[in-house]
Amino acid sequence: MASLLSLPVSAISEVQKNAVSNNCISIKESLKTTQRMDARTRVYLGGKFETILTKFITPLNVKLVEKNISNPGLIENQSSFAEMKAMFSSDFIRYQQSLEELIGTDCEAEPEVFYNRLLVVRERRKLMGQDVARLKRLTTDNVRLVTELRSKL
């Protein structure tokens, strides 16, 4: 995501610089807590999404093919779900790398650099939320498509 890396450098006020510098330790502790919680959430959600794909979506489509039942919507949903799941994993890795870089930044000595890296981390975390929302929507779409197919059979 080049657009995230090319975020404009934000000028922060002296008050903000002092707040970042003076609260550096507690800010970093909060970021480390967020990092641990996000890693757990990613493992949990990643596992759930993997299970949905490998235990429900893919086997159903394989069975439909074996029975010569064509359902382009389910096939497209499977493809979209697999792509989105891969994007979720890759976006999470970029987010974690940015967060590591942020935590490694000396916010007492470089509050502006810290703040600008924080902006990047926020954007990447927001992107993670959007990825999860898309995967949930694809899951709901799949259930709807299966229900529609079931009513036709």
Side-chain angles (χ1 to χ4, degrees), residues 8-133:
V9 174
S10 298
I12 62 175
S13 69
E14 283 302 314
V15 172
Q16 289 171 314
K17 286 180 195 176
N18 290 334
V20 169
S21 291
N22 294 336
N23 298 302
C24 185
I25 293 171
S26 64
I27 292 169
K28 282 192 176 194
E29 286 306 313
S30 292
L31 289 170
K32 288 176 185 175
T33 300
T34 299
Q35 183 181 39
R36 283 189 300 276
M37 290 172 35
D38 285 354
R40 282 189 215 123
T41 300
R42 184 252 176 249
V43 168
Y44 174 78
L45 289 175
K48 292 295 181 191
F49 294 139
E50 181 68 23
T51 299
I52 290 167
L53 183 61
T54 62
K55 303 273 187 199
F56 180 69
I57 294 175
T58 302
L60 175 63
N61 284 342
V62 168
K63 282 286 185 199
L64 291 173
V65 168
E66 288 173 357
K67 305 254 184 214
N68 291 320
I69 299 172
S70 176
N71 191 303
L74 286 170
I75 293 168
E76 183 181 325
N77 183 273
Q78 177 182 348
S79 176
S80 296
F81 194 94
E83 286 174 25
M84 194 67 235
K85 192 179 116 357
M87 188 179 294
F88 167 76
S89 295
S90 122
D91 286 345
F92 183 81
I93 289 167
R94 281 194 295 274
Y95 162 69
Q96 280 292 80
Q97 289 169 339
S98 296
L99 187 54
E100 277 294 323
E101 186 177 298
L102 175 63
I103 291 170
T105 303
D106 184 349
C107 47
E108 288 181 56
E110 300 179 293
E112 292 106 338
V113 171
F114 183 86
Y115 183 78
N116 285 306
R117 287 181 178 164
L118 176 62
L119 294 177
V120 171
V121 168
R122 283 179 178 165
E123 284 301 311
R124 288 190 173 163
R125 192 165 196 261
K126 180 180 171 184
L127 184 60
M128 293 296 308
Q130 292 169 351
D131 290 350
V132 169

